C-alpha cells in the first residue's frame, strides 16, 4: 500500500467516524436557531431524546478502521438511524443534514445491491421532504416540490452511484494491472538473474577458450619457428657430418647458423605475438618470394613463386597466417614429398586471397593421414586451424604417386594504416 493511499484511508476513516456527529451538531444548532419551527415542549423533549438516540446509535456502530463489511447488524443500525433521522426531520427540516449521513455508508452497512438502493431511496425521501418545507405537508405546492426534489435527489444518487461503480471498476482494473506488473517484474528479475548467471558462465567459458586458443597459438608458433628451424639445422649438420671437404662443411655450417639466428628471432616475436620476421620490412608477396627462394636453395628443390591479380597490403594477421601456411607446407614437402618441383601462387581476387601450393612428390591419401603424435608436427590440421581462425578455409587434393595441391582461401582484409 502506498503512502498516499494510506493517508486517504485515514482521512476517510476520520470522516466516517466524526462526520455523523458533526452533521448532527450542525442540524441541532440550526434547529435551535430556528426554534419557531418547533411547536411545543413535547417536540422539544422528543427532539432531545432523538438526538441522544442518534449519538447512541453512532457509538453502537463504533469507529471505522478501513472499509466495513456489510452485515445484518449494520443493516439494523442503518434502519434505526433512518427512523431517528425521519423523526427529527419531521420535527425540524434542518435535521436533513443529519439524514444525509445515510448516503455515505450504505454499501458498508447493508448487504445486497437491491437493499442498498432501497436504503438510499428512503433517505432521499427524507431529504426531499425537508427540501419541500418539512413534513407533514400542508399544501399541494409542497407535494409538487416534494415530487420534484425526490426525482432530483434520486437522479443525483443514480449518477453518483454510476460514477462510483465506474471508479470501483477502474480500481479493480488498476489492481489487476498492478498484480500483472508485479508478476512481470518478478519474471523479469528472474530473467535478469538467469542472464547474469549465464553471462558469468559465458565469461568463464570465453576465458577458458581464450586460454586454450592462446596455447594453440603459442604451440603453432613454436612449431613454425623453433621446430622447423631445428629441423633445418639438423639437416645442415647432417650434411656437414658427411661433407667431403672443409669448404662444403663451412657452407652448411653457415646455413645452420643463419637458421639458428632466424629461428631465435621468430621465437622471440612469436612469444610477443608480433608479425613474423619476414614480414617486418616487406609485404606478403616479397616475404613469400624470399621464403620460397631460401627453401629451394636449402633443399635443392626447384621452387617457384607467382603473384596474380593486383597485390594489396594485407592485414598483419592475414599476412602472417598465409606465410605460416606456406612455411608449414614447404616443411612438409621437404620431409615427406620427395618432390623435384614446388610451385606457390598468391592470387588477389577482389574480396578474397587464394594461396595455392603444389608439388610433384609422391603424394598421399588425405583420408588415411595418421593422427598427430607428441613428436609429429601440426601438419594439415595446423594449417586448416590457422585458415579457419581468420574465417578462411583449406582444401587438400592429393593421390599417391601424383603429388599434392593445397589451397587456402581467406578474406582480403586490408592493412590498417
Amino acid at each position: 500500500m502506498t503512502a498516499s493511499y494510506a493517508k486517504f484511508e485515514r482521512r476517510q476513516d476520520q470522516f466516517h467516524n466524526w462526520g455523523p456527529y458533526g452533521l448532527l451538531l450542525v442540524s441541532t444548532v440550526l434547529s435551535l436557531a430556528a426554534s419557531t419551527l418547533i411547536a411545543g415542549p413535547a417536540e422539544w423533549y422528543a427532539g432531545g431524546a432523538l438526538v441522544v438516540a442518534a449519538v447512541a446509535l453512532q457509538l453502537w456502530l463504533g469507529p471505522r478502521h478501513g472499509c466495513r463489511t456489510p452485515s445484518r447488524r449494520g443493516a439494523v443500525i442503518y434502519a434505526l438511524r433512518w427512523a431517528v433521522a425521519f423523526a427529527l426531520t419531521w420535527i425540524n427540516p434542518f435535521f436533513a443534514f443529519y439524514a444525509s449521513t445515510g448516503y455515505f455508508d450504505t454499501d458498508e452497512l447493508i448487504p445486497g445491491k437491491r437493499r442498498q438502493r432501497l436504503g438510499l431511496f428512503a433517505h432521499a425521501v427524507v431529504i426531499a421532504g425537508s427540501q419541500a418545507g418539512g413534513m407533514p405537508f400542508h399544501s399541494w405546492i409542497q407535494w409538487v416540490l416534494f415530487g420534484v426534489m425526490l426525482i432530483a435527489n434520486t437522479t443525483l444518487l443514480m449518477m453518483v452511484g454510476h460514477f462510483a461503480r465506474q471508479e470501483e471498476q477502474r480500481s479493480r482494473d488498476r489492481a489487476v494491472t498492478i498484480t500483472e506488473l508485479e508478476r512481470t517484474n518478478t519474471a523479469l528479475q528472474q530473467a535478469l538473474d538467469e542472464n547474469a548467471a549465464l553471462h558469468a558462465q559465458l565469461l568463464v567459458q570465453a576465458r577458458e577458450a581464450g586460454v586454450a586458443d592462446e596455447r594453440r597459438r603459442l604451440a603453432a608458433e613454436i612449431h613454425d619457428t623453433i621446430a622447423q628451424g631445428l629441423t633445418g639445422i639438423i639437416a645442415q649438420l647432417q650434411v656437414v657430418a658427411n661433407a667431403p671437404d672443409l669448404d662444403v662443411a663451412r657452407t652448411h655450417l653457415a646455413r645452420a647458423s643463419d637458421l639458428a639466428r632466424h629461428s631465435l628471432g621468430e621465437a622471440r616475436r612469436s612469444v610477443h605475438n608480433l608479425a613474423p620476421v619476414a614480414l617486418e620490412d616487406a609485404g606478403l608477396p616479397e616475404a613469400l618470394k624470399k621464403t620460397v627462394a631460401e627453401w629451394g636453395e636449402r633443399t635443392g628443390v626447384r621452387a617457384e613463386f607467382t603473384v596474380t591479380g593486383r597485390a594489396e597490403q594485407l592485414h598483419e594477421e592475414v599476412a602472417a597466417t598465409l606465410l605460416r601456411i606456406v612455411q608449414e607446407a614447404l616443411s612438409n614437402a621437404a620431409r615427406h614429398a620427395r618432390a623435384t618441383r614446388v610451385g606457390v601462387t598468391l592470387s588477389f581476387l577482389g574480396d578474397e586471397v587464394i594461396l595455392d601450393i603444389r608439388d610433384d612428390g609422391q603424394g598421399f591419401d588425405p583420408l588415411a593421414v595418421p593422427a598427430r603424435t607428441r613428436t609429429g608436427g601440426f601438419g594439415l590440421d595446423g594449417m586448416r586451424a590457422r585458415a579457419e581462425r581468420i574465417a578462411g578455409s583449406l582444401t587438400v587434393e592429393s593421390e599417391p604417386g601424383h603429388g599434392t595441391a593445397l589451397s587456402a582461401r581467406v578474406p582480403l582484409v586490408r592493412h590498417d594504416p
Side-chain angles (χ1 to χ4, degrees), residues 218-229 328 331 335 376-379:
L218 288 176
E221 292 292 339
I222 291 172
H223 169 264
D224 291 339
T225 56
I226 299 176
Q228 290 184 6
E328 176 66 16
S331 176
R335 284 181 294 172
F378 277 70

Side-chain angles (χ1 to χ4, degrees), residues 212-213 215-224 227 328 332 335-336 366-386 389:
D213 186 68
R215 287 176 177 173
R216 287 192 296 269
R217 184 192 70 80
L218 288 176
E221 292 292 339
I222 291 172
H223 169 264
D224 291 339
E328 176 66 16
N332 290 340
R335 284 181 294 172
H336 307 297
L367 299 179
V369 177
R372 182 171 66 91
T373 62
R374 289 182 179 269
T375 59
F378 277 70
L380 296 176
D381 291 339
M383 289 186 282
R384 184 173 288 108
R386 286 184 180 278
R389 192 176 300 138

Side-chain angles (χ1 to χ4, degrees), residues 229-285:
L230 290 176
T231 300
I233 292 170
I234 291 172
Q236 297 300 323
L237 292 178
Q238 287 176 345
V239 175
V240 171
N242 299 320
D245 54 56
L246 187 58
D247 291 337
V248 174
R250 288 176 176 173
T251 299
H252 288 282
L253 282 174
R255 291 179 179 175
S257 178
D258 291 339
L259 279 174
R261 293 191 189 93
H262 178 81
S263 298
L264 179 61
E266 286 283 8
R268 289 172 176 171
R269 284 160 178 78
S270 296
V271 170
H272 292 84
N273 198 24
L274 299 177
V277 176
L279 293 173
E280 248 184 0
D281 301 320
L284 180 61

Side-chain angles (χ1 to χ4, degrees), residues 224 228 259 262 266 276-280 282-299 301 303-305 319-320 322-331 342 344 355 357:
D224 291 339
Q228 290 184 6
L259 279 174
H262 178 81
E266 286 283 8
V277 176
L279 293 173
E280 248 184 0
L284 180 61
E286 289 297 323
L288 289 180
K289 181 178 180 181
K290 182 178 179 181
T291 299
V292 172
E294 290 178 351
W295 180 85
E297 182 181 352
R298 188 169 61 250
T299 59
V301 178
E304 298 177 351
F305 173 70
L322 294 177
L323 178 60
R324 293 305 191 197
I325 290 176
V326 169
Q327 290 174 340
E328 176 66 16
L330 292 177
S331 176
V342 173
V344 178
L355 178 66
I357 306 161

